[in-house]
Amino acid sequence: NNWDLMGEYYHFSNLDRSGTTGQHGSSAWYLQAGYSFGAFTPFARIERTRLDQTDSYFAQQASGQSYKRSAMGLRYELNPRTALKLEASHTTAMDRAPGSFAEFRSQIAVRF
């Protein structure tokens, strides 16, 4: 069939063994759907993270803040081992530095 569905879910349960901040729970997930028309596959994806900012592990990372993102793009298969992908996304940061931004990405994927 021509449908392509992907998704992942992660749950983080961290216990601060130093005894200062206790237990923390965070999650991250995405869901992507695409439909192939010959060599072309348009797709759409949503992503969400909810990272506990009192968890020292995430608080120390520059990219350790919660966000939500929506993306859409087009994948073109040059041959069975090589594809080109163009993607546009919009991300909203939700914790330390709230705000939003747009990105445009391109990729050449080669498998062997």
Side-chain angles (χ1 to χ4, degrees):
N1 92 39
N2 295 344
W3 283 100
D4 184 24
L5 298 172
M6 295 185 288
E8 290 185 55
Y9 174 82
Y10 297 93
H11 178 76
F12 308 96
S13 181
N14 301 332
L15 175 61
D16 181 354
R17 294 185 179 264
S18 69
T20 58
T21 64
Q23 187 155 350
H24 307 279
S26 298
S27 64
W29 61 270
Y30 83 91
L31 182 60
Q32 178 172 307
Y35 189 84
S36 295
F37 299 94
F40 293 93
T41 305
F43 63 90
R45 182 177 64 250
I46 55 174
E47 304 174 27
R48 300 287 186 269
T49 64
R50 289 184 180 88
L51 305 178
D52 185 346
Q53 296 302 291
T54 63
D55 185 335
S56 298
Y57 178 76
F58 293 116
Q60 293 177 18
Q61 297 180 25
S63 62
Q65 69 175 330
S66 302
Y67 70 87
K68 58 183 178 177
R69 176 178 294 138
S70 55
M72 56 190 319
L74 181 66
R75 178 183 167 98
Y76 175 69
E77 270 200 47
L78 293 168
N79 61 52
R81 294 181 180 253
T82 309
L84 298 174
K85 185 173 79 170
L86 300 174
E87 178 180 303
S89 65
H90 183 264
T91 303
T92 301
M94 299 167 27
D95 294 325
R96 298 177 216 158
S100 62
F101 57 92
E103 293 178 293
F104 296 95
R105 301 175 187 193
S106 62
Q107 178 186 42
I108 297 175
V110 179
R111 58 183 171 220
F112 49 93

